[in-house]
Amino acid sequence: MSVPILMYHQICAVPPHDNPLRGLCVDPDTFASQMAWLRRFGYQGLSMCELQLYLRAPGRAKVFGITFDDGFQNVFDHAMPVLDSVGFTATCYFVADHLGGTNHWDAHLAPSPAPLMDRDRLLTWMHRGHEVGAHTLNHVSLPDLTLDDAAAEIVGAKHQLESICRTNIEAFCYPYGNVTRHVRDIVERAGYRNATTTRRGRADCDDDPFLLPRLVVAPDVGPFRLLFKCLAS
């Protein structure tokens, strides 16, 4: 079977069309409608940890993965209450060295930085049953680094988040979707169990678990179009 893994970033008011980060935002009411309708059609949203069983099992199930990149506070404020209300779980990939900071890596694109979840919000996210994943220490393009520096970003994020969460961190996400075979191998050797990319498509049992594709959820995707994407992609 193949499974859609949804990719979100910010759940917030969608900025104007001339904002370069517009495509990474989904309005809170739109997100709530998406989750409600998917639930109404019998789908179950799952974190990457919980989704692994379905990626390895034969047959079909009405499940999909939910992921959020970067760890924005607006995900905590607007997405988590919706997920909790419909009984879905999700994975949020945190930039380990910047908890409580902002998305400084987007400063050249957007004049107003957005706050990231701090340590207490991260722990609340986890205690509500959602998964904490890693997105490196500093949100860097890993192939642009030396292999030693890339390993420091990948391994350091895992250790730092595990120290906070007191549990194993299994999920990783490549910043900007940038990955090479060497980077992928470092992620596996670091002890992660899966990793997601920005490659578009549904994940299935034949996919490399460290190069999983996802479906981007753009700001203009309503609940029925998202349902169609889940069914037809």
Side-chain angles (χ1 to χ4, degrees), residues 14-179:
V14 178
H17 285 273
D18 61 354
N19 188 312
L21 297 182
R22 185 179 190 276
L24 302 182
C25 302
V26 172
D27 183 83
D29 289 340
T30 299
F31 178 79
S33 183
Q34 290 170 349
M35 296 300 107
W37 277 102
L38 285 166
R39 181 63 173 161
R40 189 171 299 178
F41 275 85
Y43 281 85
Q44 179 68 35
L46 299 174
S47 66
M48 292 305 299
C49 177
E50 294 175 323
L51 196 67
Q52 297 309 303
L53 173 65
Y54 296 93
L55 288 173
R56 295 191 297 265
R60 292 191 62 82
K62 296 180 78 170
V63 298
F64 63 98
I66 308 174
T67 63
F68 299 92
D69 291 11
D70 302 342
F72 287 100
Q73 184 177 314
N74 52 48
V75 169
F76 181 93
D77 294 338
H78 301 305
M80 189 174 71
V82 172
L83 296 171
D84 294 348
S85 71
V86 296
F88 291 172
T89 59
T91 298
C92 188
Y93 299 109
F94 291 86
V95 184
D97 259 355
H98 298 276
L99 301 181
T102 64
N103 58 328
H104 66 89
W105 49 87
D106 291 327
H108 63 296
L109 297 174
S112 301
L116 305 174
M117 288 190 227
D118 57 16
R119 182 181 183 276
D120 288 344
R121 288 182 175 86
L122 178 153
L123 288 172
T124 300
W125 171 267
M126 183 184 71
H127 292 149
R128 292 283 184 88
H130 304 292
E131 184 179 20
V132 172
H135 205 34
T136 71
L137 288 171
N138 295 292
H139 201 285
V140 289
S141 175
L142 293 168
D144 296 338
L145 306 179
T146 67
L147 292 181
D148 286 344
D149 287 345
E153 287 281 341
I154 293 164
V155 176
K158 190 175 198 296
H159 289 171
Q160 195 156 309
L161 292 171
E162 287 178 345
S163 177
I164 294 170
C165 297
R166 304 296 182 187
T167 190
N168 189 39
I169 300 298
E170 298 185 348
F172 185 82
C173 178
Y174 304 99
Y176 311 105
N178 295 345
V179 57

